[in-house]
Amino acid sequence: MEFRIADTFTDSLARLRASEQKAAKTTAFDLQVNPSHPGLRFHRVDSTRDRNFWSVRAGRDLRIIVHRTSSSFLICYVDHHDQAYRWAERRRLERHPRTGAAQLVEIREIVREVETPRYVQPRPDAVTAGVEDTVARESSAALVSPGGREAAAETAGPAGAEERAVQRLIFAERTDDELLGYGVPGDWLEEAKSATEDTLLELAEHLPAEAAEALLELATGGTPPVPVTLAPGADPFAHPDAERRFRIVADREELERALDAPWEKWAVFLHPAQRALVERDYGGPARVAGSAGTGKTIVALHRAVHLAESDPDSRVLLATFSEPLAEALRGRLRLLIGNRPRLGERIEVQSMAGLAQRLYELNVGALKRASDDQQRELLHLAGQKVRDYGFSDRFLWAEWSSVVDAWQLKNWDEYREVPRLGRRTRLAEPHRKMLWGIFAKVREELERQDLLTTAAMFGRLEEHFNRARRSPFDHYVIDEAQDISVAELRFLAALSEDRPNSLFFAGDLGQRIFRAPFSWRKLGVDVRGRSRTLRVNYRTSHQIRRQADRLLPPKIADVDGIEEDRRGTVSVFNGPEPEIRVCGTVAEETASVGEWLRELSRGGIGSSEAGLGRGGVGLFVRSSSEIERALRAVEAAGLEAVRLGADESVTAAAKCGDSSQVDAVRARVSVGTMHRAKGLEFSAVAVMACDDDALPLQARIENVADEADLEDAYNTERHLLYVACTRARDRLLVTGVDPASEFLDDLA
């Protein structure tokens, strides 16, 4: 007998409280070991059309729904008694008539309101034309069948018809045969053909995944992949769509892995429409874009694995901009490659800076890095030696970090000719010459102390590998590419040598928060014609995505003129509307956020999914100065907190001096700045302290070197709030104290 577990079971398991999850897992293990064990109490679900559904007692009021036949056993769902039975009553397991895939199909209910006919007996003395007309009208309205009022509504006046006409029927021109080919169950063809933009998401929630995804792809102007059709008599569970829904469990260890990681299945899920991007051969550099939650990182992961599989002698680099994100990628890669460790040996996951440091020490020698503080001090000292030059220390740092060091300018001629991309301030030549005198002194001092900036380290590596005429990797896959630096891109361009399939980027211009924009094409990385935008959001609810999108323009273009059109993006699931609260005082905000966190805890969110970027709850603020404010809100909720980027947990117990409780309780609320939120995912997110002087950050605005750069500063602040809000999957709360940030008006 084949023992399987359905994704509907792991989804429902994740919604239970920790104690209920433990009981359900214990029963699932017992079922896997011996489904016929006399201690397991089976009850047939008599009210369902599928007579193979049974319930198994997992606790006092907890029931697991299973589907069993003489040859198979499928764990389908878990919930409290009444909810579990209602789920089973509205499902059946069937083979799709066209694709042949096994599907758990929701039974489509048709509810019609039927009015009892009411006859009016006219009075003998009132047989006039007017009375006869009245009787005829009443009888006609009462005898509408089927549906009574429903049918009457369909014959309403012209105003109703005009309102309905506004709602475009998205799939009205699609044939039944075509919709069946995409996996739409036969019972749902009528609903699909009557779907509008307002009803599409609700419809998608009732359909099998492959059908919902295909309809969403069609609705956004895409072309779903060609459906797989099994031969008659083939195992319906062997269909690719069924294999991602139903997992064969061979032993206890495999079942334990499946039950312990319901959230992680989303970490490596690849939509069939994205597979074409992953497996395509590219004649040059390629880039995949898309708003937050559309699966860019997943595409990058699968691209790295595909390259390693299709080129068995190759070495693949999968890189991102920070070490925490690199560690997250390593975890997801382990999930993706599973029991293929030799494949993982040829895929190296690194942060760009970590990779460069390792390669430098292996190939060049000992490395002495110049910190930002050291560079700022050298700039200040060099500037003091130039009398009345008229530039502030913050302008010197911006010009040095964004232009001189970023582009590794070595002499006056290079500085004079540089287009200064990303810096709008126009400098007269005498001013430039004066500034170069300062920068030249800084370069000399760095060389004297044998210090290298990060950009210089990449430059030295580029020179080394050019001389060696070899590359440490055959393929380079870069995630979060919107924040790649000039020096990093130059390094990659030199090593890839414009070979086919050598460079693949994933990123979102709307999430650029660390780097100034610059031209990729002028550095030899031209993705024109090889850039695609993802439009289906799998991570964030429709309500959160729609609201967060208001912070950004519908189209964003890079310096090379390649546009990312954010319109037409859809989410695959609904959720509660985001909440935006403007409080009178900081104390009121703390109490408000604390109560919101308590409500989440009562509902079980965060209790079993705590951890960084793996469900649970995230709480973000603009800068470190507001962290204490966030911690007070967690303390007010009576919950534990962990600082993102910190080495130790911070809890209410610790604040009271009882450190023994800190290690005993797993953290529930991850607290950090908006910058720390990048690349993470949570079931629920609160964004606090969105005050007028905190967002945009007043210090950031004051540090703008000139008025022309102000727009860039404001855009980056908007991107930060967008990043923080889109870390949420289901629930979002944004708060501030009056006067609140101007961005909240746009978000509302």
Side-chain angles (χ1 to χ4, degrees), residues 433-451:
K433 199 157 191 176
M434 183 186 301
L435 285 168
W436 179 252
I438 296 173
F439 298 141
K441 287 184 174 60
V442 173
R443 288 184 61 87
E444 290 170 3
E445 187 60 26
L446 288 171
E447 291 177 8
R448 189 187 69 80
Q449 298 184 36
D450 198 23
L451 291 172

Side-chain angles (χ1 to χ4, degrees), residues 199-340:
T199 65
L200 176 58
L201 281 176
E202 182 180 351
L203 168 66
E205 291 181 347
H206 297 285
L207 298 178
E210 67 272 19
E213 292 155 5
L215 295 187
L216 290 168
E217 187 74 19
L218 289 171
T220 56
T223 302
V226 178
V228 175
T229 301
L230 293 182
D235 180 6
F237 289 100
H239 192 285
D241 289 326
E243 286 179 339
R244 66 186 174 111
R245 247 195 314 270
F246 308 110
R247 176 175 175 177
I248 292 180
V249 180
D251 51 39
R252 182 184 177 93
E253 288 72 24
E254 190 171 349
L255 178 60
E256 187 171 6
R257 287 196 300 271
L259 298 184
D260 281 345
W263 182 269
E264 278 86 341
K265 71 176 185 177
W266 294 102
V268 294
F269 166 69
L270 182 70
H271 182 275
Q274 297 168 347
R275 190 169 297 280
L277 301 177
V278 168
E279 298 179 353
R280 180 177 175 181
D281 284 327
Y282 298 95
R287 181 172 71 188
V288 61
S291 58
T294 52
K296 300 177 296 298
T297 296
I298 306 306
V299 169
L301 276 163
H302 281 266
R303 178 67 176 174
V305 171
H306 169 73
L307 291 169
E309 288 178 326
S310 58
D311 189 357
D313 296 323
S314 67
R315 297 195 69 235
V316 180
L317 173 70
L318 176 58
T320 187
F321 72 83
S322 73
E323 183 53 38
L325 291 186
E327 184 58 36
L329 282 176
R330 292 184 193 108
R332 291 181 171 188
L333 181 64
R334 286 191 292 270
L335 288 169
L336 181 56
I337 62 177
N339 58 356
R340 298 174 291 171

Side-chain angles (χ1 to χ4, degrees), residues 303-582:
R303 178 67 176 174
V305 171
H306 169 73
L307 291 169
E309 288 178 326
S310 58
D311 189 357
D313 296 323
S314 67
R315 297 195 69 235
V316 180
L317 173 70
L318 176 58
T320 187
F321 72 83
S322 73
E323 183 53 38
L325 291 186
E327 184 58 36
L329 282 176
R330 292 184 193 108
R332 291 181 171 188
L333 181 64
R334 286 191 292 270
L335 288 169
L336 181 56
I337 62 177
N339 58 356
R340 298 174 291 171
R342 290 187 178 180
L343 187 64
E345 290 172 2
R346 293 190 291 109
I347 304 174
E348 186 165 332
V349 183
Q350 291 281 354
S351 66
M352 286 298 296
L355 169 74
Q357 180 167 336
R358 187 176 67 83
L359 290 177
Y360 191 94
E361 292 172 346
L362 285 173
N363 295 278
V364 181
L367 175 66
K368 291 175 62 179
R369 295 272 292 278
S371 68
D372 287 355
D373 287 342
Q374 286 175 303
Q375 295 173 65
R376 288 177 184 271
E377 180 64 20
L378 291 176
L379 285 166
H380 175 73
L381 294 175
Q384 282 188 326
K385 296 177 181 178
V386 180
R387 180 177 295 180
D388 300 327
Y389 70 97
F391 296 104
S392 65
D393 283 353
R394 61 176 178 264
F395 178 82
L396 281 179
W397 170 250
E399 187 75 0
W400 166 263
S401 59
S402 298
V403 181
V404 179
D405 186 49
W407 290 86
Q408 283 295 285
L409 306 178
K410 295 180 173 58
N411 54 56
W412 157 242
D413 289 335
E414 290 181 357
Y415 182 57
R416 179 177 57 191
E417 300 300 327
V418 71
R420 306 179 75 253
L421 292 171
R423 299 283 297 150
R424 301 183 189 179
T425 310
R426 298 188 178 277
L427 293 174
E429 185 165 316
H431 286 155
R432 282 200 181 194
K433 199 157 191 176
M434 183 186 301
L435 285 168
W436 179 252
I438 296 173
F439 298 141
K441 287 184 174 60
V442 173
R443 288 184 61 87
E444 290 170 3
E445 187 60 26
L446 288 171
E447 291 177 8
R448 189 187 69 80
Q449 298 184 36
D450 198 23
L451 291 172
L452 284 183
T453 65
T454 299
M457 174 180 61
F458 277 102
R460 293 272 185 93
L461 280 173
E462 177 188 342
E463 294 171 359
H464 168 79
F465 285 111
N466 280 339
R467 287 194 303 269
R469 303 185 66 81
R470 64 181 177 85
S471 176
F473 298 93
D474 300 285
H475 306 284
Y476 297 83
V477 179
I478 312 301
D479 191 30
E480 303 292 352
Q482 73 279 349
D483 281 312
I484 198 169
S485 71
V486 172
E488 291 166 349
L489 192 63
R490 271 181 163 170
F491 168 71
L492 293 170
L495 295 185
S496 67
E497 299 176 341
D498 206 27
R499 298 187 308 274
N501 296 323
S502 59
L503 277 179
F504 187 90
F505 300 93
D508 174 18
L509 294 178
Q511 298 183 64
R512 180 179 58 79
I513 57 178
F514 291 104
R515 308 291 185 190
F518 60 90
S519 172
W520 285 26
R521 185 165 57 89
K522 290 187 177 180
L523 294 182
V525 180
D526 190 354
V527 297
R528 291 178 299 176
R530 292 182 296 271
S531 181
R532 298 291 183 271
T533 301
L534 302 174
R535 302 192 186 282
V536 181
N537 187 310
Y538 302 96
R539 184 184 70 207
T540 304
S541 73
H542 167 70
Q543 288 73 14
I544 294 174
R545 178 199 55 77
R546 179 184 59 190
Q547 204 132 349
D549 279 350
R550 296 173 183 170
L551 292 167
L552 304 177
K555 292 184 179 181
I556 301 178
D558 65 12
V559 174
D560 296 320
I562 301 175
E563 276 191 343
E564 293 181 8
D565 191 344
R566 312 175 77 83
R567 296 171 300 182
T569 300
V570 296
S571 299
V572 299
F573 64 95
N574 281 305
E577 290 288 342
E579 299 178 62
I580 300 173
R581 302 175 185 173
V582 177

Side-chain angles (χ1 to χ4, degrees), residues 69-99:
T69 67
S70 59
S71 60
S72 67
F73 193 97
L74 176 66
I75 301 183
C76 300
Y77 191 77
V78 60
D79 207 333
H80 295 279
H81 180 282
D82 292 350
Q83 293 91 323
Y85 270 73
R86 276 198 295 271
W87 184 92
E89 289 163 1
R90 299 189 60 185
R91 299 295 187 286
R92 67 174 181 266
L93 182 66
E94 66 178 27
R95 179 191 182 105
H96 189 271
R98 176 60 50 80
T99 67

Side-chain angles (χ1 to χ4, degrees), residues 159-177:
E162 289 176 4
E163 183 177 345
R164 286 192 305 278
V166 174
Q167 297 296 321
R168 182 176 67 89
L169 300 180
I170 304 174
F171 308 114
E173 303 302 318
R174 306 284 177 175
T175 66
D176 289 355
D177 190 65

